[in-house]
Amino acid sequence: MTDAKYIAVLDVGSSSARVHIYNEEATIILIKSAKVTALHPEPLQTEYDPEDLWKVCKGILEEAFAEVAPSRIRGLGITVMRNSVTAWERDSGKPLMPIISWQDRRAGKDCAIWNRSLRMRAFRAACWALYKLTGRAKFLAASVLQFKIGMPVIQLVKLFAENPALLERARRGEICVGCNESWLLWRLTEGRTFATDYSCASTTGMYDPFGLEWSPIVVSALLHMPLRMLPEVWPTAGQFGHTDLFPGGPVDITSISGDQSAATFGELCHQPDQVKVTLGTGTFLDWNTGKEPYASMKGLYPVIGWVIDGDQSGPTYMIEGSHADTGNTLDWGCAMGFYPSVSEAESAALTVADSGGVFFVPCFTWSAVPVFDPAACAGFLGVNLGTSREHMARALLEAVIFQTKAIAEAFRLETGKKPAVLRCNGGVSASDFIMQGIADLLDCDVVRGSNREATSLGCAFLTAIAAGLWSQAEIGQRFDSIERRFQPRPEAAQRLARDYEKWKVAVQRCYSWY
């Protein structure tokens, strides 16, 4: 493998799967992609066919390896949209359920019932008492635990309540329960490896980022589910086995990562207090907190960013604030005819001086920050007889700015800090209007990298580290490429700040709709 100089990345998102082949200069030399079909069997439900996802991913890997031989691949990395959960038979590999997406809302009522339940309240009270007794941050974090519908844990609670026979099979060790990365790894290794990485595990609602284990308190004691159904948790950059499915192989699998951890690594936010925001399907703001998990009291989720095998300093942690509806909000605006295409939304918005008092609340999926409300709805407020399509287009774009501000404000209230520099990536970051608005409203420099594929790039970096192609220090020195820096404008910030306060009132009007 000494002549193998290329890195392959399988990047699985909510609407597409892509394979990128990187050369030694971290440049993409080959792209293969295919559509991933989301299914909506009922209103508020989003799921995927596990076999269909596997066929799509295997197909584009076959296409890529037909052009760049597996013998030239130093390592394959997998990065996925997190928290999309499924189950399959351990012996046969047969799927037992659809992949339930992180965007799915079917467990919304179950989530609310559980969070208000006597058992959950007793659990929080016990954790608070343990925190006061021991001073351990893990109990402080657990004392404010709330399940959220984007977490696999609540989907599994609902699934097993409706299918007790499946729960019994899980207790007997007959089924595997995992998210996209574990399912794809299982198929690539032909059932030899049932694993995930720390970054993916830490966002499921079932993993203890303080103790670095699946939480027996939550999974077993609180929810009465078996730990044995869950995958092993391995370093993000490390050995995950190999695949023999492609002629000219094998190919070593040397990294698995959640999309937001990979994007944070790809944006070179490797040091404490470095911050990135991904504006893709959703908005995800991740703050590097260094080598200690942060016990949030404001609903910001402490997650593991990455673990590099052999790094004695241990995991790198982040706190994350997110909102589910960003790119899909702009896609919806295009479908409704507010602008001809998403790329032209900015042009439409700039034909008017402001939104004409119109505000949009982007809660197609749920509200997460400033208030978690799975029953919130999306909607325009302030529409009047003078409202034009251009006003509505501007309101849609400004909603992305305001939502990013809401997440950053939650960070400030929690930590007392604001970003010195915010590194942005994702498809929506192509909008100069949105980038400049974020810089104005957050009063910080916003940096957009020249490589918009930060998730794939970060996965490539982690894969290359484990494969021995690059070191983390070398990556930080060689590959920092900035396309544009947006600096705050005080005069624009004043108007945006006034409108942001009005937007927050509009958000409150959309709570508890469903």
Side-chain angles (χ1 to χ4, degrees):
M1 295 293 288
T2 55
D3 294 329
K5 301 297 185 183
Y6 296 107
I7 293 295
V9 170
L10 173 61
D11 181 357
V12 182
S14 58
S15 59
S16 68
R18 295 170 294 173
V19 173
H20 293 157
I21 306 293
Y22 288 84
N23 65 13
E24 290 179 277
E25 300 302 318
T27 300
I28 297 173
I29 63 165
L30 180 68
I31 300 175
K32 297 295 180 180
S33 65
K35 182 181 179 181
V36 172
T37 302
L39 307 174
H40 306 282
E42 299 287 344
L44 309 182
Q45 295 185 1
T46 303
E47 61 188 39
Y48 300 87
D49 183 310
E51 289 291 355
D52 182 60
L53 179 67
W54 164 239
K55 289 175 184 177
V56 165
C57 292
K58 183 183 178 186
I60 56 176
L61 283 166
E62 287 174 338
E63 292 177 14
F65 292 150
E67 296 187 34
V68 179
S71 60
R72 303 174 69 189
I73 301 297
R74 192 70 165 265
L76 167 64
I78 303 169
T79 185
V80 298
M81 56 176 179
R82 303 165 304 179
N83 296 344
S84 297
V85 66
T86 188
W88 61 96
E89 290 183 342
R90 192 178 293 269
D91 289 339
S92 70
K94 178 184 176 182
L96 298 171
M97 58 179 282
I99 297 171
I100 301 177
S101 169
W102 64 277
Q103 295 175 300
D104 190 278
R105 295 176 66 162
R106 75 186 70 190
K109 291 183 178 179
D110 304 78
C111 190
I113 291 169
W114 257 99
N115 286 333
R116 293 194 304 262
S117 69
L118 180 60
R119 191 189 301 182
M120 182 65 93
R121 285 183 286 169
F123 173 81
R124 295 190 194 111
C127 290
W128 177 253
L130 286 169
Y131 168 67
K132 299 299 288 185
L133 183 65
T134 66
R136 296 177 66 184
K138 66 180 293 182
F139 294 122
L140 176 62
S143 72
V144 293
L145 175 67
Q146 285 202 65
F147 294 145
K148 297 182 179 180
I149 56 175
M151 293 178 174
V153 61
I154 197 64
Q155 300 291 1
L156 293 174
V157 168
K158 179 178 177 61
L159 172 72
F160 289 139
E162 295 173 349
N163 299 273
L166 193 61
L167 178 58
E168 288 305 313
R169 293 193 67 185
R171 288 173 174 157
R172 294 196 298 267
E174 296 175 5
I175 70 170
C176 299
V177 173
C179 295
N180 281 343
E181 74 286 350
S182 297
W183 166 245
L184 294 171
L185 181 64
W186 175 275
R187 294 304 299 263
L188 283 166
T189 61
E190 299 173 273
R192 294 186 298 270
T193 305
F194 179 41
T196 184
D197 94 297
Y198 288 92
S199 71
C200 291
S202 68
T203 63
T204 61
M206 297 180 284
Y207 194 78
D208 177 3
F210 298 86
L212 299 180
E213 63 178 357
W214 293 112
S215 173
I217 298 175
V218 173
V219 179
S220 300
L222 181 63
L223 301 176
H224 305 308
M225 296 190 298
L227 290 167
R228 66 190 302 183
M229 69 182 183
L230 299 170
E232 295 183 59
V233 183
W234 294 353
T236 311
Q239 296 298 321
F240 286 86
H242 65 273
T243 181
D244 295 310
L245 295 178
F246 308 101
V251 177
D252 290 335
I253 302 169
T254 61
S255 177
I256 285 180
S257 55
D259 51 2
Q260 299 314 313
S261 290
T264 305
F265 200 88
E267 285 288 356
L268 305 181
C269 294
H270 300 174
Q271 301 302 318
D273 292 332
Q274 292 182 321
V275 190
K276 73 85 183 164
V277 64
T278 297
L279 301 173
T281 300
T283 295
F284 296 86
L285 198 152
D286 292 274
W287 192 304
N288 185 323
T289 61
K291 296 301 180 179
E292 295 292 333
Y294 191 91
S296 172
M297 298 294 288
K298 301 289 186 183
L300 301 173
Y301 202 69
V303 300
I304 298 173
W306 52 84
V307 176
I308 296 175
D309 195 17
D311 183 350
Q312 299 303 313
S313 65
T316 295
Y317 291 90
M318 311 184 302
I319 48 175
E320 180 172 283
S322 63
H323 184 74
D325 300 305
T326 303
N328 54 357
T329 294
L330 301 187
D331 289 340
W332 176 81
C334 177
M336 297 301 293
F338 299 132
Y339 32 81
S341 66
V342 171
S343 62
E344 297 175 85
E346 185 169 321
S347 299
L350 288 173
T351 62
V352 290
D354 53 44
S355 66
V358 176
F359 297 93
F360 184 73
V361 179
C363 291
F364 291 107
T365 307
W366 66 76
S367 171
V369 176
V371 174
F372 175 69
D373 182 5
C377 71
F380 283 102
L381 286 88
V383 176
N384 56 70
L385 292 175
T387 299
S388 66
R389 284 184 298 179
E390 290 75 19
H391 288 126
M392 300 176 93
R394 189 172 182 119
L396 288 168
L397 295 183
E398 289 184 343
V400 176
I401 299 169
F402 296 149
Q403 188 63 61
T404 305
K405 168 66 174 179
I407 299 172
E409 185 68 7
F411 276 68
R412 187 190 66 79
L413 292 173
E414 177 75 56
T415 67
K417 300 176 181 179
K418 72 172 189 176
V421 176
L422 185 62
R423 300 186 67 115
C424 293
N425 63 85
V428 178
S429 71
S431 168
D432 290 352
F433 179 88
I434 290 175
M435 292 294 94
Q436 185 62 62
I438 292 173
D440 294 338
L441 193 54
L442 271 62
D443 189 30
C444 70
D445 284 10
V446 170
V447 170
R448 183 171 63 201
S450 56
N451 188 334
R452 307 283 172 79
E453 301 285 354
T455 297
S456 172
L457 181 63
C459 181
F461 287 158
L462 290 161
T463 305
I465 289 171
L469 188 61
W470 303 317
S471 68
Q472 185 173 351
E474 181 184 5
I475 287 167
Q477 293 167 2
R478 287 181 57 189
F479 300 120
D480 189 7
S481 178
I482 296 174
E483 187 242 338
R484 183 169 174 184
R485 181 181 293 266
F486 298 85
Q487 296 181 311
R489 304 168 301 176
E491 68 283 358
Q494 292 179 5
R495 182 193 67 81
L496 278 172
R498 289 193 299 268
D499 286 349
Y500 173 65
E501 294 301 319
K502 296 177 182 178
W503 177 82
K504 288 195 293 184
V505 175
V507 171
Q508 292 173 356
R509 302 283 178 90
C510 292
Y511 287 152
S512 302
W513 181 263
Y514 293 109

